[in-house]
Amino acid sequence: QVQLVESGGGLVQPGGSLRLSCAASGSIFEIGAMEWYRQAPGKERDLAARITTSGATDYADSVKGRFTISRDNAKNAVYLQMNGLKPEDTAVYYCNLWNTYGINYWGKGILVTVSS
C-alpha cells in the first residue's frame, strides 16, 4: 500500500515563504513524474508545479518565479519552495506521484493560508 504524507503547510504573512514536503512510502515501484496541485476554496484542483525524472520542471503561470519544485529520488520525496507568497496562494496543496506504469498516487493535502 502506498502512502504520501505532506508537511510544511500553515499560516504565513503575505511576502513570506514556506517549504512543502511530500514523502512517499510503500510499493511504488519506480517513481516517474512528481507534481504539486492546489485547490483554493470554491475552485478546481489545478497543477502548480511538476518535475520529471530527469529534473525538468514546469510551473503554472501564477507561480513562476516564486515557487521551486525539487525532488530527492533516494528519499522518494518531492518539495515545493514557495517564496513571495500572496493571499491568492491560499489553498490546500496536494502532492501527486506517478510510477512508470502510469499509476498515480495522491496525498491527503495540506493547508497553506496566506494572510496578515
Side-chain angles (χ1 to χ4, degrees):
Q1 192 169 1
V2 176
Q3 284 192 323
L4 276 62
V5 178
E6 297 110 334
S7 61
L11 173 65
V12 63
Q13 291 186 343
S17 298
L18 283 175
R19 184 176 188 248
L20 303 183
S21 300
C22 174
S25 60
S27 300
I28 304 173
F29 299 105
E30 188 172 350
I31 296 178
M34 306 171 88
E35 301 166 330
W36 284 99
Y37 278 74
R38 64 184 186 177
Q39 186 168 17
K43 295 188 177 181
E44 294 184 350
R45 190 178 300 187
D46 293 323
L47 179 67
R50 185 174 191 268
I51 185 167
T52 68
T53 53
S54 63
T57 58
D58 192 26
Y59 298 92
D61 288 343
S62 57
V63 307
K64 279 181 182 176
R66 299 187 298 122
F67 291 10
T68 302
I69 189 171
S70 60
R71 62 190 288 166
D72 185 334
N73 293 327
K75 296 181 178 179
N76 289 340
V78 61
Y79 309 97
L80 187 67
Q81 178 66 44
M82 305 185 294
N83 299 327
L85 283 161
K86 304 175 181 180
E88 51 264 43
D89 294 318
T90 295
V92 177
Y93 285 72
Y94 299 88
C95 66
N96 181 45
L97 273 59
W98 293 86
N99 70 14
T100 53
Y101 295 95
I103 299 171
N104 69 306
Y105 305 94
W106 287 97
K108 292 183 178 181
I110 191 164
L111 179 63
V112 171
T113 303
V114 185
S115 175
S116 56

